[in-house]
Amino acid sequence: MKSNQHSVPSFFDNLFGIEAIDKFVAKEFGFIDELEQEEQFIWAGILAYLSYMQRNGHSCIYLKDIAGTTLFKEVVAEQEAALAVETNEHSSNGAAAASLTLVEQTEQEKAPKAGVDVPQLTPLLRILKSALVNEQVAQLFVYSNGKLYSRRYYEFEQEVARNVVKRAALTPLSDEASEKVKQLWPAIFPTETTDRQDWQQIAVAKSLMQRFCVINGGPGTGKTYTVLRLLLALQACDENLKIVLAAPTGKAQQRMTESIMNSIDGLRGKLDDTVLNNVPTDAVTLHRLLGLREHGVSTKFNQHNQLSADVLIVDEASMVDLALMTRIVRALPDHARLYFIGDADQLPAVELGNVLEQLVSTETASFDENENVSNGTNSAYSSNSLNSHDDGLSLGGVPSLMRQHIATLCPHLPLLPVDEQAKSYVATLQAPQRFKGQVAKVATAIQRGDASGALAAITDKTGDNNESAGLGSNIDSNPGSNTASRLQSGVHLWPELQVSGRDLHQLAKESFLPIFDAGSAEEALNRLNVVRWLTPVRKGGMGVEGLNNLVFDAIKHKIRKREGHFYQGQPIMIVKNHHPQRLSNGEVGVIWPDSKGKLYAWFYQDSQASGQNGSSQKASANAGDSADKTLEQKQALRSISLSRVPQFETVYAMTIHKSQGSEFNHVVLILPKPDSEKAANLFHRGLVYTGLTRAKDGCLIISDNATFSHMVQRVDKRYSGLSEAISLHLESTSNATPEIE
């Protein structure tokens, strides 16, 4: 199989941007007897590229995108640039394939290396199919409909697609259950006849007649409002249902619990307290729910040992990666309902895949092997498909059976259009319920990719309370002023070039000194959640590390107590799941003394562990008297000895990725000008949208117009075949002819 492997000992060692796993894959499975020597180089290069792409979140590569291109081509403009070669990373909007660079090994190697020339589509397909004739290769790689996969991820996608389609089969409610829901409906939804569609009602009605549904919507569109009413409707159908609430991270879990509890309070007086008190509120992290092993990939609950649950509701579903989604559907019994709640426009999971975006996508990709493609453009990811959620039919079109069901529950609403091919399991919420004002206007423009509209919305302070005289005018006219508050309602753009170190120092004091004046651990933790600085990068003066150092320098004079590397008032974030202490990656706590003056790390109580021996401690008294009540629903805290705190980092500033699932009164969103083309390729719409929408009241953006506009216009699109697989399974299901007895 590896006849020519040793004839090119240094070939892969000279590639920039790939790691040991990429080299291993290419060397182990690239040089096979079924191919000529030149073809072996091409095949090996494609495998290295596939491995590289998987490490960057893509489940496959599109052959159209690499046909006729050169992979691993060195980019050297001048001789002296040899030691500073830049990498042109994968073009995430599908316009071109990634371009990796070769590293010069010696000073004498001045000539640019040619890289791997990939032939046009037809000969490329011939090489690929010839390679897959090899039995060992075919066990590990799959070619399907114009895409090349590692078999593991191909089978993950197919398994998820089959499970989604099976659970999404339309099953009308029984007459008894339907009658109970109809009696409940006026109490949970307004029932006045209207010519305007109520998407929250539509989402609940859709969810009741299928075992899988996605409730997708931007911030403030009423996702929690909708979920609570779905819970009430499900319990009306069957009060004995075992319902589990879950989220990908500890912070998202806490927010889910808080949001549902607060929403329940809003229904007091409209429904019997007994009914409301039976609504589940305690959420758990998905890793803890599935029993994911600390040092492995296996889970306690799987297809052989399934969860005891009738309904599983997953919040912040955009953070669910492909492997985790596969584990979820395996662990869930066939009869159980699965509901995903999230915003498909937010950042995808750190790991491979973009499951939520693929679930709601209207893409129906197809591939014609006879089509000649020379420019590397992937039509499946054209700009026309990026905003498919704006299409009226994709939002409202439903099969005729579902329309009848919705009309029965909601006769006061307009009829939806009939679309028998629609993904009926997708329910998209549109009209903001809570998230309004300038933040919503800017977020909506960003969501559309409208950079000029977003900048105009930032500039426009009319019509928003307390914003016209706020931060924008103060900073624009006098950026060095120390008297104007920099944390106000609305969205404000502070040009990066106008921001001095002194300005950032003053902003740091305004943002974080209140933590150190708190009277208790609970109050300190609540004040910590008032303001957070977010940035897309870790390194540099405007990255997480530089900003945290700057903030520390601004507040260090307020530190009253130290112990080793810890100090009173220090905000910390756990950076790795730690099961013994029941701490999840991304969970945030604060260092604070107990009643005896000894420093501990304090975290919000894990609702799943509450009541266990020695697992919780109440925070010191008087926290409820704080003027800064950032949480409407106070939670108990638990303390951990400093010697038992797992791996952490100080977190005045954090990456936008780490902020997902969190919410703050004010966000300082720092978007520095990228220092290279490589960095610019990593700045995209999802980052600025996710960062902005972490703010409840106000967002201060530190950036220049060009950087901001670049990010809004750039789409980070991960290659995946999940949406297509779902469409194909739906089509095969709808075309299946039942046997006639």
Side-chain angles (χ1 to χ4, degrees), residues 176 180 231-244 278 280 308-311 335:
E176 181 183 1
K180 290 179 179 178
L231 289 170
L232 290 165
L234 288 169
Q235 292 187 316
C237 296
D238 185 354
E239 61 184 13
N240 296 316
L241 285 175
K242 185 173 182 180
I243 300 174
V244 179
N278 287 332
S308 176
D310 301 310
V311 180
H335 77 273

Side-chain angles (χ1 to χ4, degrees), residues 222-229 256 259-260 263 315 341:
K223 293 191 292 290
T224 303
Y225 172 97
T226 306
V227 168
L228 174 58
R229 283 148 181 80
M256 188 181 192
S259 300
I260 292 177
S263 295
D315 199 15
I341 317 298

